[in-house]
Each structure stands twice: as structure tokens, then as C-alpha cells.
Amino acid sequence: MALEKIVFKGIDIPGRTEISVYEDGGGYAQWKRVLSEKIEPNELIETVKASGLRGRGGAGFPTGLKWSFVPADSPKPKYMLCNADESEPGTFKDREILEKDPHQLLEGVLLGSYAIGANTAYIYLRGEFVKGWKMVERAIAEAREAGYIGKNVLGSGFDIEVWTHRGAGAYICGEETAMINSLEGKRGEPRLKPPFPAVEGFYKCPTIVNNVETLAAVPKIVENGPEWYGQWGTEKSKGTKLWSVCGHVARPGVYEVPLGYPAQKFFEEDLGGCWNGNKLKAVIPGGSSVFAMTPDEFFACNLDYESIAEHGSMLGSGGMIIFDETACLVEASTVIAHFYAHESCGQCTPCREGCGWVLRMFRDIEAGQPQPGAKDVLLDVMDQIFGATICPLGDSIVMPIKSMMEKFPEEFEYYIREGKSMVTGKTRLAQLAQPDKPENWRRGEPFDYPREQDYKTSFKGLAHDLSRGPEPLFTKFEDE
Amino acid sequence: MPTVTIDGKQVEVPDGLTILWAARKAGVNIPTYCYYPWFAPQGNCRICLVEVEGVGKLQIGCQTPVRDGMVVHTNNERVFKARRGVMEFLLLHHPLDCPICDQAGECDLQDYGYKYGFPVGRNRHLRRTFPKTDYGEKISKEMNRCIHCRRCIRLAEDYMGVHHIGMLNRGDHSEIGSYIEAAIPSGWAGNVIDICPVGALTDKKMRFSARVWDLEHVPARLKESAMKDPVKCRYGSEAMLGLYRGKIYRVTARMDEHRVMKSMICDEARFEHYDLDDWIIEEDADITTPVESGPRPARELEEMARKELEEEGKLNGGRVESPPPSEISSAPGTGMDLGRQTE
Ligand SMILES: Cc1cc2nc3c(=O)[nH]c(=O)nc-3n(C[C@H](O)[C@H](O)[C@H](O)COP(=O)(O)O)c2cc1C
Ligand code: SF4
Ligand code: SF4
Ligand code: FES
């Protein structure tokens, strides 16, 4: 079983974004075959089911099974939504497909729509993906010209229309029901489940939401059959997975490897270890929303859904974030908390109030002004968020931060006690005082923290206790 | 009919009932904020979390339907801790200004705060504050007290047919607001005061003039001769007077024991009749039976009244100048036909 690429197979072919090149590589052949042979939609669903393909957007739900939940006899129109709102920190695999191989995605969308009987498909793109959006739009135009999209496609009597929609910059719109709300023109806020979208989704009609990577794999599965796809991967996790690797690693990028690939081999051989030969400290394997792993846990696992879960984390979206020994996990936690506090939709109480509170407590710690018992309060507050929310975003702030606090307690305790980082020996305040030094930058931007808009309506920042010395430097940005 | 066990009490309840109502049938009260029988559950406040045996996460009582043989705990340590957490989050930025709040005494936040609140505050940060912007002349809006239950938004959309209030911003600086900081353009706007479980929306007329526990509450309806706008008042004046020493201090809708409104009252009845002579006292009105579903939306009430008044010949020229009923669009995406139940 040679290492073979499935989703990324044609991605490096020059001109792949053009329909002629894609067709030369066997593109749209499956779409034509399905339409001309009038293959039963059910047969397609069974094929995907048998292949063992699982959702690559985060939850890992079996795709064929999800498709089969669509009530076939429902008189309502059905919808296919492609989730291209890739906003999870550390995840950038879908972007590659959107920008470099939009036709393969489009064929997957068409096949999926046919399988569930949808005559309308939407591709919901992250607003920042301007290039990806242009590529997908062009691909749709080309496919329409070639007669693959439209009314009565290739004389088969099947109508299909594909639209793109660009998000307006909300992470939460990647959650499937929030995406549906957003498409309907409402606030992008998750809905209560059940009912699940497959039964009652877009405009209360049966709707399937699938990730870009999931759909991009479908044409290959239909082409080569489920057994072929099943030869990669493990018993329960079949096929290949894209890993977007970032952080302190020698060779960051997007990799396609079979599921069940040994993590140690992947890290040492494919990724070349940490940059500058540093020592590995922690790994968040599935985008920022999952538990962090220690090197021991990480090296012991294989890269598939079950094995990662067994070793204390989740596969998630496959956005692997590598921390080497120079990373301060307290500062990393602040960045993560900032992200979720910023992206919480504000619907349910624990996430709305809790995320902001966690962030402010971390800012206190970084300012050298933690409240008494800061670590216990933090852990307690996170427990109060966990599992009490409508959508998993509330859990997402807890999982990485709490696991880091539990697996690397000394670092947090040191920062709380000493007011400076155990790793770098610097305080955040000292770093902020020297904004022009690149090593003090965070997220690549000089001195962007805290940002003014975070405080627009409300916060005046830290409660300042004068007995604790001079006012922290950055309150001056918070007073309006 | 499924049989469920709630806190050790077995009850037989109709199919599809929620845990909340099953518990009420069993005599167990589950706290709620965002749930209101008039609307489909939205499940955003999370105070009604209960433990269902065999299910890992805590479930919300207001939405989860019962299954046969379900065993529910509404009062064990795990549930208490979760509710305490929710209370702590709700009070994180709350100004705790009960002594000067007109809602004090009939505030859900106070009631559950006593029951589930933390004895000490662990928040060491300044509280979030919002600038004060009212809804017009009659309705006082104090966003610092808001708990984001969104009952007011849903009332305005589903029952008044106006889309002028909504949630602005996101995350923990989201606030309820009207699009241009204006009054709510409806003759029924005052009902947001009654639907708000806390002191975020209060009656400006009664502001600081009485404490609710001093008031004597009497059900009453407006005399037909006193109505200026019978189209609204005909079905919009089944009210409750708040009396102190024989004087009217406020007019509200009638509420059941869970503080759910029996019906909406129109703004004329609420704000313009402070003379006892305008009212017929209805001592024997039913104000205890729990409300299980919403009334008719304002537009329908107005239409019904208009038709009846026409038949009775009471719509004498120019007398009724109420603006035409606000249009409720049922086009997809306007919130009316989606996920919301209306009678
Ligand atoms: C907060 C949150 C954010 C999400 N963001 C994304 C995303 O950006 N892209 C994505 O494909 N799925 C995202 N998901 C997962 C989707 O809800 C959904 O499970 C997925 O799109 C289903 O597709 P799949 O079955 O192909 O994985 C997110 C989920 C949550 C809870
Ligand atoms: S958990 Fe957070 S993001 Fe999800 S619905 Fe609740 S408030 Fe919104
Ligand atoms: S103003 Fe009152 S009713 Fe409206 S969301 Fe806030 S607390 Fe709820
Ligand atoms: S009452 Fe159930 S979540 Fe608010």
C-alpha cells in the first residue's frame, strides 16, 4: 500500500483550476457517469457509507450515514451546504483545496447534491478567502458553461444550481446551524439541536452540511469504489486526512497522510521536528479547540480518530499546532482565550460571560496582578462553562486551556506567583513596553494588544489595586 | 403516555411534553429565564439545566422532551453547581442596584439569586457598562441589568410584528437595542416591560414612585366609555392594577404564578388610564392557572376588534386613528415562520 494522495492528488498539476486541465485528469467523469447511467441516489449514499468516509470538519460523523438521514420522501426542497468557513486557529487545509483545486470540490458538491436529492447547493466561504472565493466562482462559471450545472444537466432531467456565499468574519458561522442562520440572513447563532439540519435545516428544509475536505474526497470514492478508499486508514477511520501543521515546526504546511499514520514518524520524518532543533513541548492536534497533548502522549498515538481520543485529545479539524520549549503556555492560553472571547456569539450565558472572564483573568496574570487563588478560580470557571452551552464553542475554550493547565501546572503556577514567564523570563508588560522589538510581537502584528474595539462599549480593563504598584501600562489604551 | 420520574416522584405525562412541564405537573419547580410559554424554547440562559440519568451532559429542561422511563434529577449537587455557575455568570456584570430598581420584589434574578447565587463575588474586574438609552418616553431601558434572555425581542417580532429591537454586537458586549435608538413603533410596546424578567426594561411612569410589594394588585378591565382607541383596547385592556392607598401606581398585564403574562395589554391601557373611574374591577378573574401557550398576535387582535366594532357600528368616522397593523412578513428569513411558534 503505497502512500497515495486522494484529496491532494491533482493539486500540484499546473493549471488545475481550469476546467480543461481538470477534465484531462478525469475530472467530471463521475458526474457525467452518474447522470448518464442514472445511478440511484441511494446507491451513491451506500457507496459513501461503505467507504467509511467521516466528516473532516471537526466532529468526524460518518458522511454516508448523515446523508441517509435526509428524508427521501419529504416534499420540501433539500439543500446541500458546503462548509468552507474555515476559521479554526491552526487550520488551513480547506483553503488549499479552494484555491488550487476548486473543480474537485465542485464535483463533490454536485455528487453530494445528487445523492441527497438537492437542487440547490451553497458554498459558504470564509469572508477573508478572497482568492478562494474567486477560484470557486470561476470554477462554477466554467462548469455552468460546460453544462455541468444548470437546468436539466446533460439531458438527465436533474436540476442543480450552485451558489457561493461569503461570510462576514465570524468563526461561529462555521458551526453548521449558525451557518444556516447566517445564510438565511439572520444573526449567525447556533440553533438548538435536535432537530438536526438533515431533518430541519435551511429554511426548515432537510439540509446537509459538509466540510470542503469531506466533499473533495467524494469524487475519488465514486470513481474507485469504497474498497479502494478503505485500503488506507484503520478499521474505523478510513482514508486519508489533511493535516495543516503550524507553530514551531521545521516544515509547516498541509500534508495528506493516511489515517492511522504514526504520529512520531509524521513528526520526525515528514515535519522534520521542531524548528532549530528545539525540543517539543506540547501539541494541539486538531485545531485550537481540542485538548493539548504532551510529547509522550503525542508520540504514542497514531493519527486517527480513535487513537488520538485514546491518548487524551481529539482529531478535530486536523489543524496541528506545535509548541516547542520556547513557547510560554500562559501566553498561548491568553491568545486562545482572546480568540474565543472575541468569537462567542453571545447567545448562551456560560460562554458569553465566561469566555470574557477567563480572558480578563489571564490578562491579570500576564500583568502580574492575579487575583488570590487565580488558578483555582480559573479552573472552576472553566468547569462552569464546560458542557453547559448550546454549541461546542463553550467547550472549545475550556479544552485547550484546561488541559495545558493540568499538564503543565508549574508554568501557570510560576507565572501567577512570580508575575513573569517561566520560559522566557519576561513579563508581558515588559514586552509591551518595547513594541518595536519583533520578538515581542504577537500574531505577527506589532503592539496590537489589547485591541481597542474589545473595549468599545464596555470594559475599562483591569480593576486596579493601587497597593500593587503602578498602574499597568496598557490601561491607557482602555480608557476612552 | 410516558411515565417519568422527577426527583423521585413518578408522573404520567402526555407525549412530547418538556421536562419543565412534566416537573411542574409533579410539583417540582425548575427555574427559567429565557423560557416563556408564548415562544418556542430558545435555550440560551441555561438556568434550567437538569440531570437526566444515562445522558452525559446536563440537559435543558425547557426544551428536552420527556421519554418513557426517564429519570430526572433537578436538585442534586451537580445540577446545583451548574445553576450556581450560570447565576454567577449572569451576575458577573450586574450592577446589583436592587435598592433603586423598580423590578425588585418581582425579579427572577433576585429570586434565583437567593437560591443559587454565590455567597461571595469572585469577579475582580470592573463591570461592563452600557450607556443608557431608553425606548422612547414610556419605557426605561437599563442594559446593565439585562440578562440577554431575548424575551423582549421575541415578543416584539412574534406578537407585535415589529423588527425594531434586536441584539447588537456579539459576545459579552452584546446588548439589546433598537436600530436607531428609537421608541418601539407599536401600540403594544409596553409589553416588553412585563416580559422582561429583570429590571432591564421598566415602566418610566412608575419609576421610583412605589415598591411593588406595597402595591395591592387587582385585576381590572377598561370601561368602554374610557377607551380612546377601542381597536386596541377592546382586547388589550385585561389588565392588573397596582394600587396603593386607592391610587393607581401602575398597570400591568395579568400574570400567572410563574410570572407569565395571560395576554398582552395595549399601551393606552398601560400608560394612560391612571384614574380608577376608568376601570371595571374584575375580582374573580382567573390569575392562577399556568399559561401554556401564547395569545393571538397584536395584529390579529386589532383586526378582530376592528371587525366587531364595525359590526356594532361603533367605528364612528375618524375616531379610530390607530395606524394600520404592522405587517408581519412571512417571507423566508424574517424570523416569523421559522422556528418560532405563534398561535
Ligand atoms: C464553533 C464551531 C466552529 C466550526 N467551524 C467549522 C469550520 O470552520 N469548518 C467546518 O468545516 N466545520 C466547522 N465546524 C463543524 C461543523 O459544525 C460541522 O460539524 C461540519 O461542517 C460538518 O461537516 P463534516 O460532516 O463534513 O465534518 C464547526 C463547529 C463548531 C462547533
Ligand atoms: S456556546 Fe457560545 S458560541 Fe455557542 S451558542 Fe453559546 S454563546 Fe454562542
Ligand atoms: S431586556 Fe429584559 S427581556 Fe430583553 S433580553 Fe434583556 S433581560 Fe431579557
Ligand atoms: S429556561 Fe431553559 S435555557 Fe433558559
Side-chain angles (χ1 to χ4, degrees):
Chain A
M1 219 174 18
L3 250 182
E4 193 175 328
K5 290 185 176 155
I6 297 176
V7 178
F8 267 9
K9 185 153 193 188
I11 205 145
D12 291 329
I13 298 173
R16 177 78 167 177
T17 53
E18 278 162 34
I19 196 164
S20 52
V21 178
Y22 181 65
E23 279 177 329
D24 287 347
Y28 290 113
Q30 298 315 308
W31 181 229
K32 283 190 259 186
R33 181 177 70 92
V34 163
L35 288 180
S36 60
E37 292 178 15
K38 297 228 181 313
I39 292 182
E40 281 287 306
N42 238 348
E43 208 174 297
L44 268 186
I45 296 182
E46 287 306 321
T47 310
V48 175
K49 227 189 229 175
S51 75
L53 175 66
R54 290 169 66 169
R56 306 290 192 229
F61 194 81
T63 306
L65 190 61
K66 196 194 238 179
W67 290 2
S68 67
F69 290 155
V70 173
D73 49 356
S74 163
K76 293 178 181 170
K78 300 170 189 81
Y79 293 97
M80 180 65 166
L81 309 190
C82 171
N83 190 342
D85 188 70
E86 181 177 55
S87 329
E88 176 103 1
T91 311
F92 44 92
K93 61 187 175 67
D94 296 347
R95 190 180 65 181
E96 295 293 303
I97 301 174
L98 294 168
E99 289 180 1
K100 297 189 183 151
D101 205 354
H103 280 291
Q104 186 168 333
L105 168 67
L106 197 55
E107 192 174 358
V109 171
L110 295 174
L111 290 168
S113 308
Y114 182 84
I116 62 165
N119 297 331
T120 315
Y122 289 88
I123 301 178
Y124 189 104
L125 288 122
R126 174 178 174 174
E128 289 88 338
F129 284 178
V130 179
K131 185 173 173 205
W133 170 66
K134 285 187 179 153
M135 288 300 172
V136 173
E137 277 284 311
R138 200 178 76 174
I140 292 174
E142 282 177 344
R144 184 171 288 134
E145 207 162 281
Y148 299 140
I149 298 176
K151 290 234 175 307
N152 189 11
V153 184
L154 306 174
S156 65
F158 184 73
D159 303 339
I160 175 77
E161 219 24 89
V162 183
W163 307 102
T164 59
H165 182 93
R166 293 175 66 201
Y171 167 61
I172 193 59
C173 288
E175 204 279 342
E176 47 191 3
T177 48
M179 199 177 102
I180 289 169
N181 270 346
S182 167
L183 267 180
E184 284 180 9
K186 301 183 190 159
R187 270 175 78 90
E189 286 175 344
R191 298 178 181 170
L192 285 179
K193 294 187 229 176
F196 287 93
V199 184
E200 230 175 63
F202 191 51
Y203 290 134
K204 280 200 157 184
C205 300
T207 306
I208 289 293
V209 182
N210 270 134
N211 177 252
V212 169
E213 189 190 341
T214 318
L215 287 172
V218 169
K220 298 283 169 196
I221 294 171
V222 176
E223 180 181 346
N224 300 311
E227 294 78 28
W228 171 85
Y229 189 74
Q231 58 178 308
W232 292 280
T234 63
E235 172 80 42
K236 285 189 179 146
S237 313
K238 291 210 189 325
T240 60
K241 172 88 190 83
L242 299 184
W243 292 92
S244 54
V245 188
C246 64
H248 301 147
V249 62
R251 290 196 288 274
V254 187
Y255 293 79
E256 180 169 15
V257 293
L259 283 156
Y261 198 75
Q264 185 156 15
K265 185 168 171 224
F266 183 59
F267 182 72
E268 280 164 8
E269 291 175 17
D270 298 75
L271 303 181
C274 286
W275 67 355
N276 302 338
N278 287 353
K279 235 177 95 219
L280 181 67
K281 183 184 214 160
V283 178
I284 301 185
S288 67
S289 303
V290 303
F291 298 102
M293 297 168 103
T294 60
D296 290 344
E297 286 170 333
F298 181 64
F299 289 146
C301 76
N302 295 330
L303 298 176
D304 61 67
Y305 293 94
E306 285 71 34
S307 176
I308 295 185
E310 222 169 83
H311 291 91
S313 189
M314 287 178 336
L315 189 140
S317 62
M320 196 180 279
I321 306 171
I322 311 276
F323 299 94
D324 74 359
E325 57 194 339
T326 64
C328 174
L329 294 185
V330 181
E331 286 175 12
S333 298
T334 316
V335 175
I336 292 175
H338 185 195
F339 176 77
Y340 289 105
H342 189 66
E343 297 296 342
S344 161
C345 80
Q347 196 175 194
C348 45
T349 311
C351 168
R352 178 185 65 235
E353 307 291 354
C355 294
W357 193 9
V358 169
L359 170 64
R360 289 193 297 283
M361 280 196 269
F362 268 110
R363 284 184 174 167
D364 275 10
I365 293 175
E366 290 201 334
Q369 303 188 324
Q371 68 191 76
K375 189 165 169 246
D376 296 334
V377 178
L378 259 175
L379 286 173
D380 208 40
V381 168
M382 286 197 278
D383 279 344
Q384 289 174 11
I385 303 174
F386 192 77
T389 50
I390 294 178
C391 84
L393 191 139
D395 301 352
S396 305
I397 185 175
V398 179
M399 287 191 276
I401 297 184
K402 195 175 168 203
S403 59
M404 284 199 243
M405 287 178 80
E406 279 168 355
K407 290 173 184 171
F408 304 90
E410 4 28 87
E411 235 176 87
F412 289 82
E413 278 155 15
Y414 185 92
Y415 214 130
I416 291 171
R417 199 173 58 238
E418 308 283 335
K420 62 182 181 189
S421 166
M422 188 168 111
V423 184
T424 60
K426 287 189 201 159
T427 64
R428 189 69 199 140
L429 289 179
Q431 293 178 38
L432 286 167
Q434 298 173 312
D436 45 343
K437 284 204 174 165
E439 66 262 33
N440 292 337
W441 295 359
R442 199 182 258 185
R443 284 174 311 189
E445 289 169 49
F447 213 30
D448 67 337
Y449 168 86
R451 303 204 311 200
E452 225 177 298
Q453 63 259 41
D454 295 351
Y455 296 93
K456 210 185 239 156
T457 32
S458 45
F459 302 115
K460 291 281 180 279
L462 307 167
H464 189 65
D465 182 351
L466 283 177
S467 65
R468 288 168 160 269
E471 196 146 319
L473 277 170
F474 51 80
T475 45
K476 69 171 189 268
F477 295 94
E478 293 154 11
D479 285 329
E480 282 186 302
Chain B
M1 294 235 292
T3 310
V4 290
T5 313
I6 296 173
D7 286 353
K9 290 178 206 150
Q10 276 211 344
V11 273
E12 209 178 301
V13 293
D15 239 348
L17 208 65
T18 56
I19 293 179
L20 176 76
W21 277 100
R24 282 184 182 173
K25 296 238 146 75
V28 174
N29 201 16
I30 296 178
T32 57
Y33 287 122
C34 67
Y35 174 76
Y36 210 70
W38 293 18
F39 318 113
Q42 194 172 19
N44 59 19
C45 76
R46 317 307 281 184
I47 192 76
C48 64
L49 289 170
V50 295
E51 184 176 345
V52 178
E53 272 185 22
V55 181
K57 277 188 179 181
L58 297 179
Q59 301 290 308
I60 47 172
C62 62
Q63 191 239 4
T64 316
V66 292
R67 271 177 292 106
D68 196 29
M70 206 181 223
V71 183
V72 182
H73 300 285
T74 75
N75 220 350
N76 60 13
E77 200 188 329
R78 189 165 163 223
V79 172
F80 181 83
K81 275 203 173 140
R83 289 193 190 150
R84 191 178 65 174
V86 172
M87 273 317 297
E88 185 178 28
F89 289 136
L90 285 176
L91 293 175
L92 202 61
H93 297 295
H94 190 278
L96 302 178
D97 54 351
C98 305
I100 55 149
C101 175
D102 284 330
Q103 188 84 8
E106 48 179 29
C107 173
D108 289 353
L109 199 59
Q110 274 186 330
D111 294 357
Y112 302 140
Y114 284 124
K115 210 163 164 192
Y116 301 108
F118 257 87
V120 290
R122 299 192 291 179
N123 179 19
R124 298 223 318 155
H125 303 97
L126 295 190
R127 284 156 209 266
R128 162 190 69 208
T129 51
F130 295 104
K132 184 161 166 59
T133 52
D134 287 341
Y135 285 147
E137 298 285 289
K138 309 270 175 56
I139 304 171
S140 157
K141 182 167 84 124
E142 190 64 70
M143 216 15 66
N144 300 335
R145 297 179 187 147
C146 173
I147 57 167
H148 300 76
C149 70
R150 307 195 184 183
R151 272 153 55 160
C152 53
I153 301 180
R154 289 179 281 165
L155 179 79
E157 284 191 352
D158 293 2
Y159 288 90
M160 297 179 208
V162 296
H163 300 275
H164 292 243
I165 10 181
M167 193 62 95
L168 313 174
N169 295 328
R170 72 178 179 205
D172 62 359
H173 39 271
S174 53
E175 68 175 300
I176 309 288
S178 57
Y179 294 130
I180 41 171
E181 294 190 1
I184 305 168
S186 164
W188 304 77
N191 292 295
V192 297
I193 297 169
D194 285 344
I195 209 158
C196 181
V198 298
L201 302 175
T202 48
D203 190 341
K204 265 198 182 174
K205 277 215 141 162
M206 114 123 188
R207 200 163 163 79
F208 306 145
S209 64
R211 306 260 41 173
V212 296
W213 55 85
D214 289 335
L215 299 180
E216 181 197 351
H217 286 109
V218 244
R221 80 162 46 241
L222 211 51
K223 283 182 186 154
E224 210 165 306
S225 57
M227 294 177 189
K228 286 182 227 146
D229 181 358
V231 170
K232 291 201 178 65
C233 291
R234 181 157 203 135
Y235 289 106
S237 71
E238 283 186 4
M240 180 82 101
L241 306 180
L243 300 177
Y244 183 57
R245 295 191 181 150
K247 232 179 114 209
I248 300 180
Y249 272 78
R250 68 161 180 187
V251 181
T252 62
R254 295 178 190 171
M255 313 244 190
D256 72 3
E257 54 179 346
H258 301 295
R259 269 189 220 127
V260 177
M261 293 194 274
K262 292 254 160 198
S263 62
M264 293 198 283
I265 63 169
C266 64
D267 283 359
E268 187 192 327
R270 184 185 299 270
F271 297 121
E272 286 171 30
H273 295 277
Y274 272 51
D275 189 347
L276 254 183
D277 294 340
D278 289 351
W279 296 89
I280 310 165
I281 308 292
E282 295 183 329
E283 287 289 5
D284 49 355
D286 167 28
I287 48 168
T288 46
T289 325
V291 180
E292 295 194 27
S293 61
R296 288 162 190 275
R299 187 179 60 150
E300 279 180 34
L301 294 178
E302 286 175 25
E303 264 166 19
M304 263 161 50
R306 194 187 294 274
K307 217 187 239 156
E308 286 173 23
L309 287 166
E310 250 163 31
E311 276 164 20
E312 292 165 25
K314 285 181 190 157
L315 266 187
N316 40 0
R319 178 77 184 276
V320 180
E321 282 167 349
S322 60
S326 345
E327 270 309 311
I328 303 180
S329 160
S330 56
T334 48
M336 191 50 209
D337 62 334
L338 295 161
R340 301 274 156 78
Q341 82 184 17
T342 21
E343 269 294 297

